Amino acid sequence: MASKKVKYSVYFLILFYFVGINGFLLPATHSLFSTLTPFALLLSAAFLAVFHKPRYNLKLLTIFILIFVLSFFAEMIGVQTGLLFGQYTYGNGLGPKIWGTPVIIGLNWLMLVYCTRIIAGYIFNPPALIILFAALLMVAYDVILEKAAPLLNMWSWENGVVPLQNYVAWFAFALIFQMLLSRSGIRISNKLALPVFVIQALFFIILVFFYGLTAS
């Protein structure tokens, strides 16, 4: 029964993001779907929350909240000063903002830390390798995301160029958050972590590809 729930959940998410791709690519619905990006993140997070194992406890929730808050403030400092990631500005695609920073961006960081941690654990056993691979996987995801973000009105960079500084900062913060999760000693498992990560990455890749075709 559990495997069927996982399978049906994956099918639903694939269908959901497939509809999203078409919604973004059609000029008539692009603006509408741009406003639905926060909902997509919340929905993905809800699916992950349902399939999380073992049970939630105060320690785990504290770590999650800490990652959420720290990542949000890192983004806030970054967008206000340009010192961390470079000069960039958030659009309206990620919903309500505080000091120019979408509140939901902390959830995006948390989901990436969570999913990549689990994926890395499938491949490696030593904690150091899990931390390193998970952080690199987060940077690889960001390379894809940076191509799609301006197209979805999520954020844009000064002169349209993503600086190397951004990826260095991403790697540094990814390492910090992965080490924080590792040091907590909490074991996490989720059968939807890999599907959610892959589906979202493919979503951005497909959008970038088709936007590239229409631009050319």
Side-chain angles (χ1 to χ4, degrees):
M1 182 63 70
S3 61
K4 284 187 177 180
K5 287 182 179 179
V6 172
K7 186 185 298 184
Y8 293 147
S9 297
V10 171
Y11 290 159
F12 175 82
L13 287 171
I14 290 174
L15 178 61
F16 177 82
Y17 278 92
F18 177 76
V19 172
I21 289 171
N22 286 276
F24 274 111
L25 291 177
L26 293 174
T29 56
H30 178 84
S31 296
L32 171 63
F33 275 78
S34 292
T35 65
L36 296 178
T37 301
F39 174 73
L41 285 174
L42 289 170
L43 181 67
S44 300
F47 270 91
L48 288 171
V50 169
F51 287 92
H52 168 82
K53 291 184 179 180
R55 293 180 179 180
Y56 294 98
N57 55 53
L58 182 59
K59 187 177 183 181
L60 178 63
L61 293 175
T62 301
I63 294 295
F64 283 178
I65 292 172
L66 190 58
I67 292 173
F68 182 100
V69 172
L70 289 176
S71 60
F72 171 80
F73 276 100
E75 292 282 357
M76 185 192 71
I77 293 169
V79 79
Q80 292 293 330
T81 68
L83 296 176
L84 297 178
F85 305 98
Q87 296 291 342
Y88 66 109
T89 305
Y90 278 106
N92 296 320
L94 290 175
K97 291 177 278 190
I98 298 176
W99 296 305
T101 308
V103 177
I104 205 167
I105 198 67
L107 179 62
N108 186 61
W109 272 93
L110 176 58
M111 286 174 58
L112 283 175
V113 172
Y114 180 85
C115 290
T116 54
R117 169 75 183 184
I118 293 172
I119 294 169
Y122 293 151
I123 304 170
F124 300 104
N125 285 321
L129 288 180
I130 292 176
I131 291 170
L132 179 61
F133 183 78
L136 289 172
L137 201 55
M138 287 180 65
V139 175
Y141 183 94
D142 185 51
V143 171
I144 298 169
L145 183 56
E146 295 299 347
K147 299 290 185 182
L151 304 174
L152 308 183
N153 196 27
M154 296 167 75
W155 63 80
S156 57
W157 292 90
E158 187 177 49
N159 300 321
V161 178
V162 184
L164 178 61
Q165 174 187 351
N166 171 68
Y167 300 116
V168 173
W170 254 79
F171 181 67
F173 281 108
L175 274 181
I176 292 170
F177 296 144
Q178 293 294 345
M179 285 190 287
L180 180 62
L181 190 55
S182 180
R183 289 281 184 171
S184 70
I186 299 171
R187 293 184 177 275
I188 56 175
S189 174
N190 198 315
K191 292 184 178 179
L192 278 190
L194 178 59
V196 166
F197 183 86
V198 172
I199 290 169
Q200 287 188 340
L202 287 175
F203 170 78
F204 292 125
I205 290 172
I206 292 170
L207 283 179
V208 170
F209 175 75
F210 278 103
Y211 271 114
L213 286 181
T214 55
S216 60

